[in-house]
Amino acid sequence: MSEIVRAGILSVDHGQVEAVQALGMSKGLTMRRIILPQAMRVIIPPTGNETISMLKTSSLASVITVTELLYAVQLIYSVNFKTIPLLIVASIWYLIVTSVLTVGQYYIERHYARGATRELPPTPWQRIRRHLFTIHSPLPEPSPQRLLGEER
C-alpha cells in the first residue's frame, strides 16, 4: 500500500511543487491542496483493485478457521446439511459486496479525473438515460451545405 501512495506522489510533476513554493505555501498545505489531489488519480485504481482482491481471497481464511463469511457458512451447513443453498448464498454475498466496491471505485476514479480531461465520460446511468430518452427522427439530418444554402 505504501508503494502505491509513494508512486502516486512521485507521479506529480516536480514543476507543481516549484510553482507552489514560489507562491509561498507551506509544505503541509502544498501536500493537501496540490499534490494529493493530483496523486489520487494514480493512487485510487490500484488501491481499489487491492481491496477487491483482498475481499475475494478472504475465503482462503476459512482454511485456518478464521470466522469470515465462508467459514460461517461451513459452520451452518455442518449443522443443517444444506450445503449447496448456503454456498450459493455466500457466493451471492461475495458478488454483491464486490459489485458495490467496483461501482464505488468507478465513481471515486471519475471524481478525481475531473481535471484530466475537458469532459468526463458519461456514467452508465447517463448513457442509459440518453439512449432511452433520445427522440429518433425518421428524417435525415440536414447537411451543413443545405443549412448554408450551398446545395446544388
Side-chain angles (χ1 to χ4, degrees):
M1 184 66 195
S2 62
E3 281 298 314
I4 293 172
V5 174
R6 179 180 167 275
I9 291 172
L10 290 177
S11 72
V12 177
D13 188 31
H14 188 65
Q16 298 285 329
V17 178
E18 292 173 355
V20 169
Q21 287 173 347
L23 291 174
M25 292 175 84
S26 68
K27 288 187 184 229
L29 192 60
T30 299
M31 194 63 130
R32 194 177 82 232
R33 306 280 310 267
I34 306 298
I35 305 297
L36 284 180
Q38 294 179 48
M40 290 304 276
R41 276 197 336 232
V42 177
I43 293 172
I44 294 296
T47 303
N49 292 341
E50 281 293 319
T51 304
I52 292 169
S53 175
M54 283 190 296
L55 171 72
K56 290 178 181 177
T57 57
S58 70
S59 62
L60 298 175
S62 67
V63 176
I64 56 173
T65 64
V66 174
T67 305
E68 52 80 51
L69 180 61
L70 191 60
Y71 185 68
V73 166
Q74 289 172 346
L75 291 176
I76 294 170
Y77 73 63
S78 67
V79 173
N80 66 7
F81 303 111
K82 294 183 180 180
T83 307
I84 301 300
L86 287 170
L87 288 175
I88 290 172
V89 167
S91 64
I92 289 172
W93 271 107
Y94 277 115
L95 179 66
I96 289 170
V97 174
T98 303
S99 299
V100 167
L101 288 175
T102 303
V103 169
Q105 179 183 352
Y106 172 79
Y107 282 102
I108 291 172
E109 285 180 21
R110 189 171 188 273
H111 171 77
Y112 282 107
R114 284 181 301 177
T117 59
R118 288 207 178 267
E119 187 175 318
L120 289 175
T123 64
W125 292 114
Q126 290 171 340
R127 281 186 269 159
I128 290 170
R129 277 194 307 234
R130 184 177 57 216
H131 180 71
L132 289 176
F133 298 117
T134 340
I135 300 173
H136 298 287
S137 141
L139 300 174
E141 290 191 23
S143 65
Q145 290 83 15
R146 181 183 291 171
L147 292 174
L148 296 174
E150 299 173 1
E151 189 172 288
R152 297 179 210 179

